[in-house]
Amino acid sequence: MRQALVLFALASLAWGADTRPKVRAITAFINIDPKTYATEIESTMQFLNSAREAYRGAGFEVEGVRIVTQPFTQYIAGMKKDEALAFFHKLDELSTKLKYAPNIGTAMVGDGDDTSSLDLLATVLATTRLNASLSVAGEDGVHWRAIREAARLIKNTAERSSHGGGNFNFAVTAMVKPYGPFYPGAYHLGTGHTFAVGLEGANVVAEVFAQYHEPREAEKQLAAALARHMRDAEAVATKVAGTSGWTYAGIDPTPAPLGDVSIGRAIESFTGGPFGVSGTMTAAGIITRAVQSVPVKRVGYSGLMVPVLEDNVLAKRWAEGTFNMDSLLAYSAVCAGGLDTVPLPGDTSEEKIARILGDVASLAYKWQKPLAARLLPVPGKKAGDRTEFDDPRMANTIIR
């Protein structure tokens, strides 16, 4: 009987390793005009729905579709604040009606960009489902002015939104290039009609790490598993591009987690201890190297995501104190983790937030790698309190 159970378990693991990861997002990048935006978005949804069906036909489950516009500052130029806010609410309503996740692009690309729209953006983030970002490092170095503006925006958004949750849809990005499919840091500066794909592949990592614990063999097996799935995903994308006239930007093979599809649990199966123990950085490096070996057209982060509140195991370990912001920054030296969905005490000052963002930007620029930060100050909460976010995508945890 025992032998039969062992054989059944091994067969189950072998079958699981062939289970396709979910497509987290098919993300379209377009340019809109406030006068014709509804028609432009409806046309884009026709493309996205056909792309979704193509993936389903190939055996992939698709979680959702997304639309990213050119930087919003370009198409609200000349609008009064009330007019722009009304427009963004209409855009939000349309996204709910058509069932896509909206993103209005990046508020700043260069350190000298105009900042007059940032107060408006804080209100938009606090009162709609729209996503946005702001760049604090590029090929020209760290953008220290943008860092200060981002810190102010994060504080303003927290104070205007329920439980501070508006910042969940806002990313501060560093060395992040256009056309990455993952939110909120997705953006583009081009002519549009381009798409990218992001996969929810934490389950693939979990299946490999459950079987292989020797680093070289684990990396070899993970690279092979990811390559198999990503080649299949790219074949669909290439076919969609060929029949639609849309430009395929690439796939982000980062094994994104969500809820119980946990990258934290996957790494724990490799290290044999809670996330944050010795060996966690080794696992982060293995995952990143495996991801970057995948023979597809890669975009976005192409590394490892460690979103504290989007991963149920990570949220639990954060509450237990097995890792912290310094840990995440250390791991980011070998992956693309950054500081993703990190809850902060509500009285965290703009100055301290700016210092945190400066660390992320400095690390990204030093190693020429994409990193991002989603910092979530929670008004009225202090260290030791529990968050009370009402967004179903986020787990709640203890503020540290």
Side-chain angles (χ1 to χ4, degrees):
M1 176 64 73
R2 179 179 176 81
Q3 184 179 11
L5 288 173
V6 170
L7 290 173
F8 175 78
L10 291 173
S12 297
L13 284 170
W15 176 85
D18 289 330
T19 303
R20 291 196 188 282
K22 182 189 294 185
V23 173
R24 168 71 69 84
I26 306 169
T27 304
F29 300 85
I30 65 171
N31 288 343
I32 63 170
D33 185 310
K35 296 178 181 178
T36 56
Y37 73 96
T39 300
E40 292 156 354
I41 288 173
E42 287 168 0
S43 175
T44 301
M45 281 302 298
Q46 292 177 7
F47 161 73
L48 287 171
N49 286 331
S50 66
R52 175 161 42 194
E53 289 307 310
Y55 271 100
R56 287 173 174 170
F60 287 93
E61 181 182 352
V62 180
E63 181 177 310
V65 296
R66 302 173 174 185
I67 297 177
V68 183
T69 72
Q70 75 270 41
F72 69 93
T73 53
Q74 296 178 10
Y75 53 81
I76 66 166
M79 289 187 186
K80 295 179 181 178
K81 183 177 179 179
D82 289 346
E83 292 173 339
L85 185 59
F87 172 74
F88 285 129
H89 278 281
K90 290 179 182 178
L91 197 60
D92 186 39
E93 291 165 4
L94 183 62
S95 72
T96 300
K97 176 184 176 182
L98 298 182
K99 296 181 173 58
Y100 73 91
N103 190 311
I104 57 175
T106 182
M108 294 179 70
V109 177
D111 208 19
D113 287 358
D114 180 36
T115 61
S116 61
S117 63
L118 295 186
D119 184 69
L120 168 66
L121 179 57
T123 301
V124 170
L125 291 169
T127 59
T128 72
R129 297 169 55 249
L130 302 180
N131 289 258
S133 63
L134 188 154
S135 175
V136 295
E139 296 299 331
D140 57 343
V142 175
H143 302 166
W144 295 108
R145 174 172 172 264
I147 285 172
R148 293 191 299 272
E149 295 294 341
R152 183 175 299 113
L153 175 60
I154 289 169
K155 284 289 288 186
N156 286 342
T157 300
E159 291 165 359
R160 300 179 191 187
S161 55
S162 175
H163 305 296
N167 280 305
F168 185 70
N169 290 337
F170 174 67
V172 176
T173 63
M175 305 302 295
V176 174
K177 295 182 179 180
Y179 300 116
F182 288 116
Y183 275 17
Y187 76 100
H188 81 103
L189 306 172
T191 57
H193 280 79
T194 299
F195 74 100
V197 180
L199 274 71
E200 190 175 294
N203 62 319
V204 178
V205 181
E207 289 161 355
V208 171
F209 278 1
Q211 300 176 72
Y212 302 98
H213 302 102
E214 195 281 321
R216 283 171 294 193
E217 188 63 21
E219 184 174 331
K220 174 184 174 183
Q221 294 296 332
L222 181 57
L226 288 172
R228 181 171 62 253
H229 295 304
M230 298 304 161
R231 279 195 297 262
D232 290 347
E234 181 161 80
V236 178
T238 301
K239 184 176 180 180
V240 167
T243 58
S244 67
W246 281 67
T247 300
Y248 164 60
I251 289 179
D252 189 337
T254 301
L258 187 65
D260 287 329
V261 182
S262 169
I263 199 68
R265 181 179 293 111
I267 289 174
E268 289 184 356
S269 71
F270 178 82
T271 64
F275 185 90
V277 299
S278 297
T280 300
M281 184 175 288
T282 297
I286 288 171
I287 294 168
T288 301
R289 289 191 297 274
V291 164
Q292 294 181 352
S293 74
V294 172
V296 297
K297 186 177 183 181
R298 288 186 281 109
V299 291
Y301 298 100
S302 294
L304 169 66
M305 288 183 180
V306 191
V308 175
L309 297 182
E310 285 187 322
D311 182 309
N312 290 341
V313 170
L314 292 177
K316 185 173 186 292
R317 299 296 181 243
W318 183 268
E320 294 168 350
T322 65
F323 71 106
N324 55 30
M325 281 198 292
D326 287 340
S327 308
L328 293 174
L329 285 173
Y331 305 146
S332 296
V334 298
C335 70
L339 298 176
D340 199 0
T341 62
V342 173
L344 300 174
D347 62 357
T348 305
S349 67
E350 282 183 28
E351 182 183 1
K352 184 170 183 180
I353 292 172
R355 289 200 302 268
I356 295 169
L357 298 177
D359 285 350
V360 174
S362 297
L363 183 62
Y365 182 67
K366 165 65 178 177
W367 296 114
Q368 296 289 292
K369 65 183 338 176
L371 296 176
R374 274 190 289 178
L375 303 180
L376 307 169
V378 186
K381 297 289 187 178
K382 60 183 184 300
D385 291 343
R386 189 169 184 81
T387 61
E388 296 176 342
F389 295 116
D390 50 16
D391 191 314
R393 298 169 292 176
M394 288 194 284
N396 283 297
T397 192
I398 300 299
I399 298 171
R400 307 201 64 83

